[in-house]
Amino acid sequence: MDVADQRTGTTQVKDDLADRCQKLFQDFLEEFQVDGEVKYLPEVQELIRPERNTLTVSFDDVQNHNQQLATTIQEEYYRVYSHLCRAVCNFARDCGQVPPNKEFYVAFEEVPTRHKVRELTTAKIGTLTRISGQVVRTHPVHPELVSGTFVCLDCQSVVKDVEQQFKYTQPTICRNPVCANRSRFMLDVNKSRFVDFQKVRIQETQAELPRGSIPRSVEVILRAEAVEIPQAGDKCDFTGSLIVVPDVSQMSVPGARAETSAKVRGNDTYQAEGVRGLKALGVRDLNYRLAFLSCNVEPTNPKFGGKDMRGDDLTAESIKKQMTEQEWQKVYEMSRDKNLYHNLIQSLFPTIHGNDEVKRGILLMLFGGVPKTTQEGTSLRGDINVCVIGDPSTAKSQFLKAVEEFSPRAVYTSGKASSAAGLTAAVVKDEESYEFVIEAGALMLADNGVCCIDEFDKMDLKDQVAIHEAMEQQTISITKAGIKATLNARTSILAAANPVGGRYDKSKPLKQNINLSAPIMSRFDLFFILVDECNEVTDYAIARRIVDLHSHNEESVDRKYSIEDMQRYMMFARQFRPKISKEAQEFMVEEYRRLRQRDTNGVTMSSWRITVRQLESMIRLSESMARMYCQDEVQPKHVKEAFRLLNKSIIRVETPVINFEEEEDQPGEDEEVEMETEQQQPLPEKQDDEAAKLKLRMTFEEYKTKSNLLILYMRKKEEELEASDEETGGMRRSDLVEWYLKEMESDIETEEELIQEKTKIEKVIDRLVHHDQVLIELAKTGLKKRKVDDESQVVEEDPFLVVHPNYVLDA
C-alpha cells in the first residue's frame, strides 16, 4: 500500500493500545479527585491562557487511579505520548473555549525510579524514565516544526499535517491522484505548527562518577514549557524517554561532506533548498546516537538520594518531613551535643592529625554565612573563601580531597591545569548547528557548592584575574563571540598554595611568601599557614597516625558521626538564617576597630591590610557558627570564635622572632615556641652560652618599636643640626646607644640587665645598617686622601650614623 493513499484517507492504520490509553487517561483527568474536587480541572482551565500549553501530571496519581494504565504509559511511553496529549486537548476543550489549532502537551512528575546517565542503555528506549545530571551546556531556543503543511509545486494541492520527527520530512507523494510529484514541495509556514525547542547537554555529577572514569554526557531535548528552565551548572531531574536519532555530526566528516555537496550543488532551485532526508546525504552507513526527549524538568530533590545540600527552596520543616524518625532523632541529638564543634571536625577529617584551626575554618566554610540582598538590589555573598598555604607534605591536598568527597556539589581542579575559560565558562561552537553556545566551567558547576583549587599559586596571572568577580560578586560575566551573559557562580573557594621557593620563610611577611596579588588576597576570608616544623612530640604523633592508617585502615578511622549524618545535619542547619543580636553587633564593631587600629600603628608587620572585607568575613563566620548550633540569633560567643579564627589566620606568622646570633642560618621560630623555651631556661644550668643566645632574640614588635624610637630621635637631631647651620657634627653610634640606655634607665635594675640591653640595642643598630639598610654607617673618614691600593685603611670604631634619605617611617 502506498503512503500517498494513507494521506488521502483511503486506509488509516489504527493503534488500538494507544487509543485505549487515550480514553483511560481522559477518564483519569475527569474522574481523579482529591478532597471531593477534580484535581486537574483548575490546572487545565489555566491552559486556556495563550502562554500555557503543558499540563503536569503526578505519576503517583495515575498509579493510584489505574495501575494498568500507569504500567502501559511507563513501558510504551514514546508510542502513546501523542495520544495522551490528545486526551489533554479533548479534556481542555470540554472545560472551556480553546483555540481549535492549539497544541497541548502532558508532562509527568514524581516518576518513582531514577537513573544515572551511565545507566542509560538501549533497553530503556521508548520507556518513561527519569534521569539526573548536571547541565554543562545550554543551546539557544529554536522553533521546531512539529506538523508541516506543504504545497505541491506542480498542481498546487495542499498536503496537511505531515508529522516531523527530528528531521525535515516532506510528503512521499502528492495527494492528487493525477499528479505524480514526489519531490517538489514547498512548506507553507503560516499553516504549519511550531513548538519551542532547546537542546541541553547533561553530565554525570561528581558524586555519581566512579573513580578514574571520564564523566558521561547525553543530549537532552526540551520542548514547549520545559525550555529555559535548566541553566548551566544546575543539577536537575529530567523525565521523559530515551530515543535514537541520526548522528548528523558523524555524517559530516570530510569524505561524506564532499559527497553531500556534490549532490546538493545543482542548477535547479529546489535542489538548493537543503538536505531532504537521509537518502540525500549520500552516506551509506548511518550512525545513530542516543538522546533523551524530556517532557518535565525539576531541580534534584534530596529525598531521592540527590543530596543537593543547598536546597534553596527547601525549609527546615520540609527537610524534617523527608527524614525518618530515627534520622530526625540523630539530628536533634547532634544539635544538643556540647562538643559538636570538636566532634564534627574529627568526623570530617579523621585521617588528618592536628591542624585543628584549619579544620574549623573549613567546617565553617561548609556551613556558610547568610547571603543577603540590599534594597538597591546589591547581593552580599554568604559563602566563605579559605586559602591554605604551607610547606610540602602538610596535608593541604588531603583537606581538599576530603571536602570534595564530603560535599555533594564540589568540584576539584588543579591550578596549573586550569585555564580562565575552564574555571569560569567557555563559549564553544556546536558541532551540529555551528552556533556559539556557553559551556559551564568549574565555578559554575560548583554553584551552591565548593570549588577546590589545588596549586593555586601555579596558576597564570591572567587565569587568576578571571575568578576575581566570582569570588566577591559571585557572578561570571561573558562578552565574547556575540554572546553577552551574566551567569551565577555562588560558590565557596577552597584554595591550596605553596609559598615562594617551596618553603615558608618566617622572617618575611605573608605577602612576600606567596605569589598572589593584593586584590585576590583580600577576597579570601581566612588564610591558614601550615609550617613544617621539627617537633619531637608532633612528629611522633603524625608518624603513629600514618603507620596506623596504613596497617589498620578501617579500625584507625574513628568517626563520631557518619558522613550521611553530617550531610543531613548540615542540610538542616543551612536552612537557619540567624540575625545578629545587639550585643553581638557592638562586640563586632569593637573588635574590628581594634584590628584596624593595630594595623595602622606601625608596630606589627601585618600580613595584609585590614579592610571592610575582613569585617564582612567576621560577620559571615559568626553567622556560620550560629548556623552550626542551629540558632536563630548570632550571640557574642559566636563572634568571639569568629574573631579568634580571623585573628589566628591574620597573625599566625606575621610576627617572626628575630634571632641576632644565627640570623643567616636560622630564620627564626614561632613566638609561642620562644616563650616556652624561655620558661624552661632555668632548668639546664650547664648551657649558659645557649641561654645567652636565647636572650639575643626578640619579637618583631619589640624590634620595630626600638628601631622606630632610634630613627625618630636621629631624624629630630638631623633637623636640629640643619637648623643651626653647623657644618660639622652628627650622631655617632656610641652617642645613640648612650641616649637609648638613658631613656630606658627606669626599666633597668641590675648591671646584668644593662649589659644585656646594651648588647640588644647594638644588634638592632647592626641589623638596621646591614640587613634593613635603613641607617647608613659613615665608618671611613678622610675620603679625599685615601689610597686606592692601600689595603690597611683605618676604620673608625665609633662611626657616624645617618638615616637613609628615602626611608619613610611607617605611620
Side-chain angles (χ1 to χ4, degrees):
M1 181 60 64
D2 202 302
V3 184
D5 294 335
Q6 294 179 23
R7 292 285 173 208
T8 53
T10 315
T11 306
Q12 192 74 34
V13 178
K14 285 204 170 187
D15 189 345
D16 293 332
L17 175 74
D19 287 343
R20 198 158 68 250
C21 264
Q22 178 180 335
K23 185 178 180 305
L24 287 169
F25 191 67
Q26 193 170 338
D27 292 345
F28 157 74
L29 291 175
E30 289 167 355
E31 294 168 10
F32 188 77
Q33 293 186 344
V34 175
D35 301 331
E37 293 181 4
V38 178
K39 181 178 178 181
Y40 293 101
L41 185 61
E43 294 175 28
V44 169
Q45 285 169 343
E46 277 283 309
L47 296 184
I48 297 167
R49 287 162 53 190
E51 70 272 10
R52 294 292 310 278
N53 58 11
T54 304
L55 174 69
T56 305
V57 176
S58 170
F59 196 73
D60 286 346
D61 294 345
V62 182
Q63 279 183 318
N64 295 335
H65 181 76
N66 187 335
Q67 182 62 48
Q68 195 179 356
L69 172 66
T71 309
T72 310
I73 291 174
Q74 194 158 8
E75 290 175 357
E76 302 283 348
Y77 171 77
Y78 192 61
R79 177 178 169 186
V80 302
Y81 182 69
S82 57
H83 291 74
L84 299 179
C85 294
R86 219 169 289 154
V88 175
C89 185
N90 294 339
F91 183 45
R93 289 211 168 89
D94 295 344
C95 295
Q97 294 294 320
V98 178
N101 57 351
K102 184 171 181 178
E103 282 280 321
F104 288 94
Y105 301 93
V106 64
F108 289 99
E109 62 180 7
E110 295 177 11
V111 176
T113 51
R114 178 206 212 156
H115 299 281
K116 301 173 186 173
V117 174
R118 204 168 274 268
E119 294 169 358
L120 295 180
T121 56
T122 49
K124 295 185 174 61
I125 292 173
T127 61
L128 183 62
T129 318
R130 177 167 167 224
I131 62 169
S132 67
Q134 198 161 23
V135 180
V136 290
R137 186 188 287 190
T138 56
H139 292 246
V141 178
H142 289 300
E144 185 193 16
L145 184 63
V146 177
S147 172
T149 299
F150 291 88
V151 177
C152 172
L153 292 173
D154 287 0
C155 65
Q156 304 302 312
S157 300
V158 176
V159 184
K160 289 184 178 178
D161 296 336
V162 179
E163 281 201 14
Q164 312 287 314
Q165 203 60 35
F166 307 112
K167 61 181 187 290
Y168 182 65
T169 311
Q170 286 190 347
T172 44
I173 191 166
C174 178
R175 60 185 293 174
N176 187 347
V178 182
C179 179
N181 174 27
R182 284 177 180 269
S183 57
R184 295 180 298 282
F185 293 96
M186 186 181 72
L187 179 70
D188 188 348
V189 177
N190 295 324
K191 291 178 183 172
S192 301
R193 285 203 307 274
F194 293 88
V195 69
D196 287 337
F197 167 88
Q198 186 186 22
K199 222 168 38 165
V200 301
R201 179 176 288 176
I202 64 167
Q203 184 176 291
E204 282 179 297
T205 55
Q206 292 286 324
E208 296 168 351
L209 190 62
R211 271 213 174 277
S213 301
I214 295 170
R216 300 262 176 95
S217 60
V218 65
E219 295 274 353
V220 177
I221 295 162
L222 304 173
R223 286 176 173 165
E225 286 183 21
V227 299
E228 293 290 6
I229 291 176
Q231 299 297 325
D234 289 351
K235 204 155 122 192
C236 296
D237 281 4
F238 298 87
T239 308
S241 171
L242 196 62
I243 56 169
V244 172
V245 290
D247 196 349
V248 180
S249 63
Q250 287 292 320
M251 287 186 240
S252 55
V253 291
R257 194 176 293 169
E259 212 174 330
T260 308
S261 59
K263 289 263 181 190
V264 174
R265 198 185 297 120
N267 297 326
D268 299 331
T269 52
Y270 67 85
Q271 277 197 330
E273 281 180 7
V275 175
R276 291 174 309 286
L278 300 170
K279 195 163 54 176
L281 281 168
V283 182
R284 299 272 176 196
D285 53 331
L286 185 57
N287 293 291
Y288 287 97
R289 63 187 168 90
L290 292 173
F292 193 82
L293 180 62
S294 174
C295 64
N296 187 39
V297 184
E298 51 194 0
T300 296
N301 188 345
K303 183 178 179 182
F304 291 98
K307 285 195 243 175
D308 194 356
M309 256 169 65
R310 307 201 177 183
D312 292 336
D313 302 328
L314 296 171
T315 60
E317 200 59 42
S318 66
I319 290 175
K320 185 182 172 183
K321 282 177 187 170
Q322 290 173 4
M323 294 183 199
T324 62
E325 187 61 41
Q326 197 177 354
E327 288 170 350
W328 169 246
Q329 200 57 40
K330 185 69 179 172
V331 168
Y332 184 74
E333 278 173 26
M334 287 173 77
S335 66
R336 291 272 166 258
D337 186 359
K338 292 251 173 59
N339 288 333
L340 178 69
Y341 199 19
H342 180 73
N343 288 337
L344 277 176
I345 63 170
Q346 290 305 322
S347 305
L348 198 57
F349 307 104
T351 58
I352 302 171
H353 177 269
N355 293 332
D356 282 355
E357 299 302 331
V358 186
K359 291 177 183 175
R360 288 188 180 109
I362 293 174
L363 181 69
L364 292 186
M365 179 194 76
L366 289 170
F367 278 100
V370 181
K372 305 173 191 73
T373 309
T374 60
Q375 290 179 347
E376 295 86 20
T378 310
S379 58
L380 304 172
R381 70 179 166 102
D383 293 299
I384 295 165
N385 300 323
V386 178
C387 185
V388 182
I389 301 152
D391 297 343
S393 79
T394 47
K396 298 187 301 299
S397 300
Q398 212 49 38
F399 281 120
L400 269 63
K401 282 290 180 191
V403 170
E404 186 213 4
E405 285 169 16
F406 172 76
S407 178
R409 198 160 187 180
V411 175
Y412 181 90
T413 177
S414 180
K416 193 62 186 169
S418 304
S419 64
L423 281 171
T424 53
V427 175
V428 293
K429 192 175 271 191
D430 181 39
E431 60 269 11
E432 283 182 24
S433 60
Y434 300 107
E435 288 178 333
F436 287 105
V437 292
I438 292 174
E439 194 161 274
L443 290 174
M444 281 177 69
L445 293 178
D447 188 27
N448 281 334
V450 183
C451 184
C452 305
I453 306 175
D454 208 352
E455 310 291 352
F456 195 64
D457 55 316
K458 313 284 191 307
M459 282 173 70
D460 293 336
L461 198 61
K462 62 178 189 300
D463 298 334
Q464 275 184 12
V465 170
I467 64 172
H468 275 207
E469 184 190 2
M471 285 179 76
E472 194 60 47
Q473 278 73 41
Q474 301 215 297
T475 55
I476 294 167
S477 300
I478 288 181
T479 313
K480 57 174 87 164
I483 291 177
K484 187 180 186 313
T486 303
L487 310 160
N488 281 333
R490 297 158 297 185
T491 173
S492 301
I493 289 178
L494 175 59
N498 285 107
V500 176
R503 286 198 170 273
Y504 198 94
D505 184 359
K506 282 201 249 170
S507 62
K508 293 177 183 173
L510 176 65
K511 52 193 163 211
Q512 289 176 22
N513 264 301
I514 179 168
N515 191 18
L516 291 178
S517 60
I520 211 158
M521 280 174 72
S522 71
R523 282 169 164 80
F524 280 109
D525 298 293
L526 292 173
F527 259 97
F528 290 110
I529 318 291
L530 303 178
V531 183
D532 186 14
E533 288 179 323
C534 294
N535 183 321
E536 192 180 343
V537 178
T538 316
D539 292 348
Y540 178 76
I542 291 172
R544 281 305 304 258
R545 192 84 200 84
I546 291 169
V547 172
D548 278 356
L549 199 61
H550 280 268
S551 52
H552 317 288
N553 196 0
E554 294 299 320
E555 298 84 14
S556 65
V557 176
D558 180 30
R559 289 185 196 269
K560 175 91 163 122
Y561 303 122
S562 69
I563 294 279
E564 290 75 21
D565 287 341
M566 286 191 291
Q567 284 178 337
R568 211 173 288 117
Y569 181 77
M570 214 165 269
M571 190 168 67
F572 178 72
R574 287 189 64 85
Q575 305 313 314
F576 287 88
R577 301 178 71 84
K579 299 275 190 295
I580 302 170
S581 64
K582 189 75 179 161
E583 300 87 19
Q585 283 180 21
E586 289 169 4
F587 189 62
M588 228 175 253
V589 172
E590 184 60 33
E591 294 296 352
Y592 173 69
R593 192 184 61 77
R594 272 178 55 202
L595 269 179
R596 186 84 176 159
Q597 207 169 5
R598 198 188 64 200
D599 185 45
T600 52
N601 64 8
V603 174
T604 58
M605 181 173 62
S606 188
S607 305
W608 71 81
R609 288 304 301 271
I610 303 296
T611 61
V612 184
R613 279 190 177 142
Q614 270 66 52
L615 176 61
E616 288 188 334
S617 300
M618 206 191 300
I619 294 169
R620 280 191 286 271
L621 290 165
S622 309
E623 289 170 344
S624 182
M625 279 294 296
R627 262 185 171 178
M628 189 176 69
Y629 289 108
C630 294
Q631 294 183 0
D632 286 321
E633 196 176 47
V634 177
Q635 304 290 344
K637 62 179 180 183
H638 300 142
V639 183
K640 198 171 182 181
E641 172 61 19
F643 173 71
R644 191 191 66 78
L645 262 180
L646 195 67
N647 212 16
K648 197 86 175 168
S649 76
I650 293 171
I651 301 183
R652 179 70 195 275
V653 193
E654 78 181 5
T655 54
V657 176
I658 294 166
N659 186 350
F660 292 117
E661 285 295 321
E662 300 168 17
E663 204 167 36
E664 303 281 319
D665 311 322
Q666 188 180 333
E669 294 183 14
D670 218 11
E671 193 177 340
E672 295 168 14
V673 178
E674 178 230 351
M675 286 170 70
E676 285 169 17
T677 46
E678 279 190 357
Q679 286 168 2
Q680 294 164 5
Q681 207 177 321
L683 297 174
E685 293 174 4
K686 299 173 187 176
Q687 302 170 346
D688 292 335
D689 53 340
E690 288 285 324
K693 280 186 181 180
L694 281 175
K695 286 178 183 175
L696 286 177
R697 291 179 185 170
M698 65 171 70
T699 61
F700 191 83
E701 284 107 332
E702 197 181 343
Y703 168 72
K704 200 73 180 167
T705 312
K706 288 183 192 308
S707 58
N708 282 354
L709 197 64
L710 296 174
I711 290 161
L712 281 168
Y713 175 68
M714 288 177 70
R715 282 259 166 97
K716 185 182 167 192
K717 281 292 178 188
E718 283 172 16
E719 284 168 12
E720 285 175 7
L721 198 64
E722 282 175 21
S724 62
D725 292 333
E726 287 183 30
E727 288 187 11
T728 57
M731 177 65 66
R732 285 191 177 272
R733 184 182 173 125
S734 57
D735 296 343
L736 190 60
V737 173
E738 196 178 329
W739 169 81
Y740 175 77
L741 293 173
K742 262 189 183 174
E743 289 290 314
M744 302 294 289
E745 66 183 354
S746 58
D747 299 335
I748 299 169
E749 293 177 356
T750 62
E751 190 180 343
E752 189 185 338
E753 280 181 21
L754 179 69
I755 295 164
Q756 189 184 330
E757 201 62 43
K758 187 182 177 188
T759 313
K760 268 191 181 180
I761 198 65
E762 284 174 348
K763 293 287 183 186
V764 168
I765 294 169
D766 283 341
R767 187 182 165 93
L768 283 170
V769 172
H770 301 298
H771 188 275
D772 294 348
Q773 294 175 349
V774 172
L775 300 183
I776 301 170
E777 197 174 47
L778 305 177
K780 299 166 190 170
T781 51
L783 295 175
K784 289 180 183 176
K785 297 178 182 177
R786 71 182 174 86
K787 294 178 183 176
V788 180
D789 55 347
D790 186 12
E791 291 184 10
S792 58
Q793 287 182 357
V794 178
V795 177
E796 284 204 29
E797 287 184 11
D798 191 12
F800 286 103
L801 294 176
V802 184
V803 181
H804 196 290
N806 293 342
Y807 178 68
V808 180
L809 198 67
D810 292 336

